[in-house]
Amino acid sequence: MKVLVLGGGGREHAIAWSLRRSPSVHEIVVAPGNPGCAEVATCFRPASNKPQDLLALANRIRPDLTIVGPEAPLVDGVVDLFRSNGYVIFGPTQAAAQLEGSKIFSKDFMARHGIPTARYAVAHSEQEAKIKLDEFSYPIVVKADGLAAGKGVVISEDRANALTILHSMASGNLVGAAGRNIVMEEFLTGEEVSFIGLCDGDKVLPLEPSQDHKTIFDDDRGPNTGGMGAYSDSRLLTQAERDDVVRTVMQPVLDGMKAEGAPFVGFLYAGLMLTPGGVKVLEFNVRLGDPETQALLHRMDCDFGLLVHAAATGKLHPGLLKFREDPSICVVLAAHGYPGTVRTGDPISGLAEASETGAVVFHAGTRTGVHGVETSGGRVLGVTHSGATLQQAIANAYAACDKIHFDGMQIRRDIGRKGLKRWL
Ligand code: AMP
Ligand code: GLY
């Protein structure tokens, strides 16, 4: 198969790397890709990320399968356009992508179908939000309705702060138009687990569980980021817990979306909170997580291209999916200033030395400058490894990280540590 991957971050490098190891795949094109993707695939830069320009690229490449990495083209309707032009593409339609594209749609959908989630209220103006604020105690979680690249969720400790947040969100200052409509919800406590399944519209095939680390600093301190590292370990959820998530969350989503006329095909990512009162959904994403994918695909031991093609054509079956038992971990190296204003252009050294340790260094925010590879975005690299034990996987990944340097490099030193504590 010839496979086209849309996107250019660490997740897409990991997808391309997995396709390279897939016997069913003979050619991989990533658009736009990055210098890491270019090591395992051909990279093409589309005129823009809009569906029409992506289709124009597909018409040149003629892929047998297209895999969509990020959410924006999905919400913009790339799947609808590709399908209507006869292409096999894996991802939800524009209507189904609302599960991520609109927090209001997602919360109301969960309410309609009895899917466990935090109690919430919706507001379409600052005035309405202020009134509904009194239905909650503190801390309260305030979410922008639209896509906000990880910046649309704010936790407020008191009423004064909540009012400030509501104002900056509703006025458009915080995350632009995405914040015009607002969801407020009760604050949940517990451990977060990322639960991702391949969906073919009717059935779901769950991947192994993983755990992200959202804040910039160790011990879950500081502002939220897109994710500073993730690990995947089978022990994150027992088989009974996984069955429970499929029964109470994943299958109801599939059945509900189908009943509402928007069957869900694609990767369905449920961000779960394991609360004292049971599993609750924090959010849905309609794509693979980043950096969860880097850790997950490192553990995957099957033909990824074949698996995704089967899911895209309604032929999903459990025999196509296999993981190694070894836990895996991805540690993100972020640029100076991230998650605020990011400095770019810092030269990166030690990439070859890191790879020589056996780690896979997935590129995210990198580009090729006059002096070699340099930083070009917030999350720069995802250093990924596995090991016979979680402890070994962690040691392996950090040994590789220590070979890499760029000015202003930010790294969390505690990726996976929660797991170590839990399973002492
Ligand atoms: P979301 O994009 O909705 O997953 O939110 C981003 C992050 O905010 C989550 O990964 C959680 O860490 C946190 N979060 C979101 N909703 C809640 C909630 N109801 N209670 C506690 N934390 C939350
Ligand atoms: N790692 C969380 C996400 O991809 O949204």
Side-chain angles (χ1 to χ4, degrees), residues 193-212:
V193 174
S194 304
F195 193 94
I196 304 174
L198 281 135
C199 302
D200 68 359
D202 290 303
K203 305 180 293 299
V204 55
L205 196 53
L207 307 182
E208 285 288 308
S210 55
Q211 189 167 52
D212 192 6

Side-chain angles (χ1 to χ4, degrees), residues 11 100 194 212 214 226-227 269 283 285 287-292 379:
R11 167 183 49 213
E100 175 167 2
S194 304
D212 192 6
K214 301 248 176 183
Y269 168 135
E283 64 162 343
N285 294 322
R287 50 167 174 88
L288 285 166
D290 187 339
E292 289 96 329
R379 292 188 291 172

Side-chain angles (χ1 to χ4, degrees), residues 75 93 121 224 247 254 270 275 291 343 347 351 357 371 408 413 419:
V75 170
T93 58
N224 267 349
R247 189 176 53 77
L254 284 169
T275 77
R343 187 176 71 204
L351 289 171
T357 69
H371 302 297
R413 287 280 163 192

Side-chain angles (χ1 to χ4, degrees), residues 30-297:
V30 190
N34 62 38
C37 296
E39 291 169 8
V40 290
T42 310
C43 295
F44 277 114
R45 183 163 287 281
S48 82
N49 275 334
K50 292 292 162 213
Q52 277 299 347
D53 287 324
L54 298 170
L55 177 68
L57 186 72
N59 285 337
R60 277 169 52 203
I61 296 167
R62 301 247 148 231
D64 302 299
L65 169 68
T66 299
I67 304 177
V68 191
E71 60 278 18
L74 294 167
V75 170
D76 287 344
V78 74
V79 167
D80 310 62
L81 188 65
F82 270 51
R83 281 217 196 120
S84 65
N85 281 271
Y87 289 107
V88 175
I89 181 167
F90 190 58
T93 58
Q94 185 164 37
Q98 284 300 295
L99 274 177
E100 175 167 2
S102 164
K103 300 247 187 231
I104 296 177
F105 175 88
S106 169
K107 294 294 286 192
D108 288 347
F109 176 86
M110 286 190 264
R112 283 199 293 282
H113 297 281
I115 297 168
T117 188
R119 187 171 64 81
Y120 73 106
V122 169
H124 301 280
S125 69
E126 186 179 347
Q127 200 51 36
E128 189 185 1
K130 274 185 186 163
I131 294 166
K132 292 189 172 168
L133 197 56
D134 294 330
E135 298 170 17
F136 296 88
S137 54
Y138 294 90
I140 184 179
V141 187
V142 181
K143 300 186 175 185
D145 176 49
L147 291 184
K151 299 197 174 100
V153 176
V154 187
I155 294 162
S156 273
E157 297 293 338
D158 56 57
R159 188 179 157 83
N161 178 255
L163 289 173
T164 309
I165 297 299
L166 288 177
H167 177 71
S168 53
M169 223 176 239
S171 64
N173 288 341
L174 198 65
V175 289
R180 289 271 147 72
N181 299 312
I182 291 171
V183 172
M184 291 170 284
E185 63 180 44
E186 82 182 298
F187 180 80
L188 299 175
T189 54
E191 277 227 37
E192 283 184 49
V193 174
S194 304
F195 193 94
I196 304 174
L198 281 135
C199 302
D200 68 359
D202 290 303
K203 305 180 293 299
V204 55
L205 196 53
L207 307 182
E208 285 288 308
S210 55
Q211 189 167 52
D212 192 6
H213 297 65
K214 301 248 176 183
T215 66
I216 183 77
F217 301 128
D218 285 24
D219 303 318
D220 298 334
R221 286 177 304 109
N224 267 349
T225 70
M228 287 297 289
Y231 68 101
S232 173
D233 186 309
S234 306
R235 294 170 296 178
L236 274 164
L237 292 174
T238 63
Q239 189 56 47
E241 286 170 326
R242 295 176 201 206
D243 293 346
D244 198 45
V245 174
V246 169
R247 189 176 53 77
T248 62
V249 176
M250 305 301 267
Q251 198 59 49
V253 170
L254 284 169
D255 296 345
M257 291 302 284
K258 196 172 176 187
E260 296 189 14
F264 190 93
V265 178
F267 291 104
L268 178 63
Y269 168 135
L272 303 175
M273 187 75 97
L274 311 181
T275 77
V279 169
K280 292 195 175 163
V281 176
L282 290 175
E283 64 162 343
F284 288 119
N285 294 322
V286 297
R287 50 167 174 88
L288 285 166
D290 187 339
E292 289 96 329
T293 302
Q294 290 85 317
L296 282 169
L297 294 190

Side-chain angles (χ1 to χ4, degrees), residues 10 14 17 208-213 218 227-236 289-300 323-333 354 357-362 381-402 404 411-420 423:
W17 176 85
E208 285 288 308
S210 55
Q211 189 167 52
D212 192 6
H213 297 65
D218 285 24
M228 287 297 289
Y231 68 101
S232 173
D233 186 309
S234 306
R235 294 170 296 178
L236 274 164
D290 187 339
E292 289 96 329
T293 302
Q294 290 85 317
L296 282 169
L297 294 190
H298 197 272
R299 280 186 68 191
M300 208 179 254
F323 281 94
R324 280 180 287 107
E325 269 308 307
D326 291 3
S328 59
I329 161 173
C330 169
V331 179
V332 170
L333 308 181
T357 69
V360 187
V361 182
F362 292 119
L381 298 165
V383 180
T384 308
H385 215 320
S386 49
T389 61
L390 179 59
Q391 193 157 21
Q392 191 60 55
I394 293 171
N396 288 345
Y398 278 105
C401 290
D402 290 338
I404 298 175
I411 176 171
R412 271 183 69 156
R413 287 280 163 192
D414 67 340
I415 307 302
R417 196 183 288 162
K418 267 190 216 151
L420 288 185
W423 301 310

